[in-house]
Amino acid sequence: KPLKGSKTLIYETYLEQKSGHRILWTEEPFTPPKIVIWYVAKHKQVSRLMQLIDDSKSRSARQHMPDFLVNELQSEGLLPQNKSKEVLLDIFGNVPLKVYDVNFNAINEITKESWTPQLHLTDEERDIVEAKGTVLVLGRSGTGKTVTITQRLEFDRQSTAAHDPSFTQLFVARSVRLCRYVEGAVGEDNRTSFLTYARLLNDIESTLPGQTRNFNPSQKIDFGRFKRDFHHHSSSNEKISALILWTVIRTFLKGSIEAFQTPEGILPRDEFVEVERLGKNRCRLPVELRE
């Protein structure tokens, strides 16, 4: 039955009479239309959960772009014609809600401990997962990049591995926690490796011929150590923040293509100070501060 007092149409269904648990669900205009189950909860929690669902639906409706901007993007070919979409938002934040697909044929499988529901993908996410070749995905935190990558790993396993005996996969991230999360999401496979960026670099260097240097992990400088041990004692720390200095070092002095092309792997001072070398739009640090 429809809940009374909700701003959007939210339905309530008894799970069973003995426990009194309710199923809170809505009808969503997916293609094809689907039912989204938000909660299975006790009766005393229904009012609060109804408000959370209302708030999520309200925020989802506000995400639409102005008509003039939609028309402009469509005329430039940056947005599909006549394509309206609404991404459900998580009740606790402005990030996409994770929705799992469960159909009638999967009812008998639900009782099995090994059963895992299939994550529902938006049209954009599915285009990325099924695209051929190399794909670059850009987006802020919480927009679904990791979810898309995990689905792409599984898609490639199913579509490519069976036809290619040399098939392998490599997932790289800076966070150990993220590597473990993705490995747990897609499952273990002897053809797939999950490595941190530091571990990957170490493995590559150990296989290169003529490599005799060993890096002591205690010598690693991260931002926290840089700020504490170096920037704090610098005479210029009042002019430039530690974060800006750290970014300049990583991006230009050691991380630029110009630095890579030098024998020492470090951008010389005169080339860094010379504005024309890096370009004023590329490195926005003023000349007087570069000195």
Side-chain angles (χ1 to χ4, degrees):
K1 64 178 182 180
L3 287 176
K4 295 182 179 180
S6 62
K7 298 178 182 178
T8 55
L9 186 57
I10 303 174
Y11 293 93
E12 174 189 48
T13 301
Y14 278 95
L15 179 62
E16 42 90 16
Q17 292 287 346
K18 185 176 180 179
S19 66
H21 282 74
R22 267 72 165 178
I23 302 174
L24 303 184
W25 56 278
T26 59
E27 291 181 304
E28 302 299 334
F30 293 119
T31 306
K34 296 183 179 181
I35 291 175
V36 173
I37 297 177
W38 292 80
Y39 285 103
V40 177
K42 295 181 180 179
H43 179 262
K44 63 180 181 180
Q45 299 174 329
V46 169
S47 296
R48 185 179 72 88
L49 297 178
M50 178 186 70
Q51 294 176 356
L52 292 175
I53 298 173
D54 263 340
D55 178 67
S56 172
K57 297 280 288 182
S58 176
R59 286 184 284 113
S60 298
R62 291 200 302 266
Q63 67 184 298
H64 296 297
M65 294 182 292
D67 291 339
F68 76 90
L69 182 57
V70 173
N71 295 334
E72 182 178 338
L73 293 176
Q74 288 179 340
S75 63
E76 296 179 1
L78 300 177
L79 194 68
Q81 297 287 338
N82 301 324
K83 185 177 181 180
S84 61
K85 65 173 183 176
E86 179 175 311
V87 178
L88 294 177
L89 297 180
D90 191 276
I91 63 169
F92 296 116
N94 289 318
V95 296
L97 178 69
K98 289 185 179 180
V99 181
Y100 296 88
D101 287 331
V102 182
N103 55 44
F104 179 80
N105 297 326
I107 291 180
N108 293 330
E109 301 294 324
I110 294 178
T111 58
K112 299 180 180 178
E113 294 184 0
S114 59
W115 178 77
T116 302
Q118 183 70 31
L119 193 64
H120 175 79
L121 300 178
T122 63
D123 293 339
E124 290 81 2
E125 290 171 340
R126 189 167 298 282
D127 289 342
I128 295 171
V129 170
E130 299 179 357
K132 295 182 180 180
T134 303
V135 180
L136 174 64
V137 182
L138 300 176
R140 69 173 181 84
S141 301
T143 52
K145 299 186 299 298
T146 303
V147 169
T148 304
I149 290 174
T150 57
Q151 295 299 311
R152 177 62 182 259
L153 287 171
E154 180 62 26
F155 178 80
D156 286 345
R157 284 183 183 180
Q158 300 296 332
S159 60
T160 306
H163 312 289
D164 185 0
S166 62
F167 173 81
T168 57
Q169 292 177 312
L170 173 63
F171 176 85
V172 181
R174 292 191 177 273
S175 167
V176 175
R177 183 178 179 182
L178 182 57
C179 287
R180 292 175 179 172
Y181 169 80
V182 174
E183 183 176 8
V186 300
E188 294 183 4
D189 192 298
N190 56 11
R191 299 162 299 181
T192 307
S193 300
F194 302 87
L195 301 177
T196 62
Y197 182 65
R199 173 67 183 278
L200 176 64
L201 290 182
N202 183 68
D203 290 351
I204 292 175
E205 287 190 342
S206 64
T207 58
L208 293 177
Q211 286 289 338
T212 58
R213 62 175 184 171
N214 292 319
F215 179 74
N216 188 345
S218 64
Q219 297 178 347
K220 180 180 179 180
I221 305 295
D222 57 14
F223 175 69
R225 185 176 179 183
F226 169 78
K227 182 178 181 180
R228 181 184 66 250
D229 297 345
F230 296 92
H231 180 264
H232 179 71
H233 301 288
S234 172
S235 59
S236 62
N237 59 5
E238 295 182 358
K239 296 182 179 180
I240 312 176
S241 70
L243 182 58
I244 292 178
L245 284 177
W246 179 252
T247 303
V248 168
I249 293 172
R250 289 173 57 90
T251 307
F252 301 110
L253 298 185
K254 297 184 68 176
S256 63
I257 184 61
E258 292 84 359
F260 176 78
Q261 291 172 342
T262 63
E264 298 79 13
I266 300 175
L267 185 68
R269 176 176 177 173
D270 56 344
E271 294 189 19
F272 175 66
V273 173
E274 184 182 354
V275 177
E276 289 74 14
R277 178 63 172 168
L278 295 176
K280 62 180 181 180
N281 292 328
R282 181 177 167 195
C283 180
R284 298 181 179 273
L285 194 67
V287 178
E288 59 272 15
L289 294 181
R290 298 190 192 188
E291 290 282 357

